[in-house]
Each structure stands twice: as C-alpha cells, then as structure tokens.
Amino acid sequence: MIRKEVYLSPAVVEETRRIIQTSHITNIDDSRWLEPQTGQARQELEIKMGNEHIAFTCAEIGSLVDVMKSVDPDGMRVFYYLTQDLRCLMFSLISLHFKIKPIP
C-alpha cells in the first residue's frame, strides 16, 4: 500500500475527480469479481465523492489477460484502466514533488 501525505491544489483534485467520473466506475458492480483468498494479493479501491462512497476489492490483476478471463470483463476493464490512470497520476505527482536534482 502506498502511504504518502501531500497537499494538492484544487486543480489536481478536480482532475482526479474528472478521471473518476468519466470512467463511470460508480456504475460497476464487483459482486461477480474473483475474491482474493486468504494470504493472496488483492487490489482495493475506495472512492468517496460527495454523498457517494463505494469500495471495490478483487484478487490481484496481473495483466489485461486476467481481466479478459474474468466473469465480468467489462467491469474489470473499467477498474483496471482506472487504477492504472490513478496510479500514473499519483506516481507523477510524487516524483515531481520529491525530485532530488532539479532539471536545469
């Protein structure tokens, strides 16, 4: 689990909100997704926006092949790409914030 504390500008918060809303992840039901077994790796995503609070849990997704083999490939595809987008955004922000050597 990634644990970093940062302060974000309203523009970054709004962009994150836009990414989540345009993915339509709130319309997805994870009840048919593969549940992680005890001790098995898992992926979790919790979203709190306004009055909406939704949490997703599934067994770890290794690649897009795992998504296509699932019972609900459409829902898993939305989850997979949304988590990839959010991960890229967060890693970019972290690497920008914690740069050791500034770019000349």
Side-chain angles (χ1 to χ4, degrees):
M1 181 176 284
I2 302 167
R3 291 191 186 268
K4 295 279 184 181
E5 184 174 326
V6 296
Y7 293 96
L8 303 173
S9 71
V12 173
V13 173
E14 191 56 40
E15 180 62 15
T16 305
R17 185 174 283 123
R18 185 196 65 78
I19 291 170
I20 293 168
Q21 288 173 340
T22 57
S23 75
H24 301 291
I25 190 72
T26 55
N27 301 335
I28 303 298
D29 180 17
D30 68 344
S31 62
R32 299 185 335 179
W33 295 0
L34 186 62
E35 289 289 325
Q37 301 299 319
T38 305
Q40 184 184 14
R42 62 192 308 138
Q43 285 187 247
E44 298 179 356
L45 177 65
E46 184 175 8
I47 300 170
K48 295 179 185 179
M49 285 185 7
N51 293 334
E52 227 174 343
H53 181 197
I54 190 165
F56 297 97
T57 303
C58 67
E60 184 178 31
I61 302 171
S63 68
L64 203 50
V65 173
D66 296 337
V67 171
M68 300 313 281
K69 289 181 182 177
S70 72
V71 177
D72 180 20
D74 293 331
M76 287 285 286
R77 188 179 310 114
V78 171
F79 178 76
Y80 177 79
Y81 283 122
L82 175 62
T83 54
Q84 292 298 317
D85 290 346
L86 292 174
R87 188 179 302 165
C88 287
L89 175 63
M90 294 306 134
F91 280 140
S92 296
L93 291 171
I94 289 169
S95 69
L96 284 171
H97 184 73
F98 294 106
K99 270 292 190 220
I100 296 173
K101 293 182 179 181
I103 299 170

